[in-house]
Amino acid sequence: DHFFDDNGFDYCINCAAFTAVDKSEEQEETASNVNTIGVINIAKACKRHSIVLIHISTDFVFDGKINRSYSENDIPQPLNVYGRTKLKGEQAIEEILADEGEDISVLGDETKFIARINPNSTVKEGEEIKLSIDSSKLHFFDPSTGNAL
């Protein structure tokens, strides 16, 4: 909370996750602490401070048994600890932030992430985006996307 108090953010982009899928099976508590409990804490802090939360999901919340891209209307069916802990975090976000306004989902090819959150971006497909991160700010070297966020 102090971090949010001291910095006056409008947005929080949660990219944190315990992403070692195989290790999640052996380290279920760690995966749960990061992917579920950590996300709950972030969502609650965002709610208290009226900050928009952008949470990065994973296709591991699905079982991979369909032959098309998934949509937000598909029923999640994770097959492993990693997918289950990520799904629990996402469900907690929905519950905690249910009354906070519009829900935005970003699904599909992760290489198209920038285009999906900002269709007016000047970044071309396949172009590398350089980021600079310090303790309080995320800087995009694509001004159109940085401004959109």
Side-chain angles (χ1 to χ4, degrees):
D1 271 339
H2 296 294
F3 185 73
F4 287 124
D5 283 336
D6 295 342
N7 290 288
F9 297 112
D10 294 321
Y11 299 91
C12 173
I13 304 173
N14 178 30
C15 302
F18 186 79
T19 60
V21 177
D22 293 336
K23 286 185 180 178
S24 293
E25 297 298 321
E26 304 161 8
Q27 300 175 26
E28 188 168 351
E29 184 176 1
T30 301
S32 179
N33 285 341
V34 176
N35 298 338
T36 304
I37 305 302
V39 169
I40 289 169
N41 292 333
I42 291 169
K44 287 179 178 178
C46 286
K47 182 172 184 151
R48 282 191 295 273
H49 296 277
S50 299
I51 295 170
V52 174
L53 174 59
I54 300 171
H55 178 76
I56 308 300
S57 185
T58 177
D59 57 351
F60 280 88
V61 300
F62 299 108
D63 60 15
K65 293 182 179 179
I66 63 171
N67 293 325
R68 60 171 172 72
S69 295
Y70 283 97
S71 80
E72 60 271 13
N73 297 320
D74 289 318
I75 297 170
Q77 295 187 34
L79 299 176
N80 53 36
V81 170
Y82 172 68
R84 285 191 297 274
T85 59
K86 288 289 286 181
L87 178 60
K88 287 179 184 177
E90 293 173 20
Q91 290 169 333
I93 290 170
E94 290 177 5
E95 183 178 317
I96 293 164
L97 300 178
D99 60 344
E100 297 302 309
E102 185 176 344
D103 179 49
I104 299 171
S105 299
V106 179
L107 296 170
D109 184 351
E110 62 194 41
T111 62
K112 306 231 187 287
F113 175 74
I114 296 298
R116 301 219 34 208
I117 62 172
N118 180 16
N120 298 317
S121 173
T122 57
V123 174
K124 295 176 181 62
E125 185 170 341
E127 183 179 346
E128 182 177 329
I129 300 172
K130 296 180 181 178
L131 301 175
S132 171
I133 302 173
D134 64 30
S135 63
S136 64
K137 295 179 179 141
L138 171 65
H139 304 279
F140 278 85
F141 291 93
D142 166 33
S144 59
T145 300
N147 290 336
L149 291 176

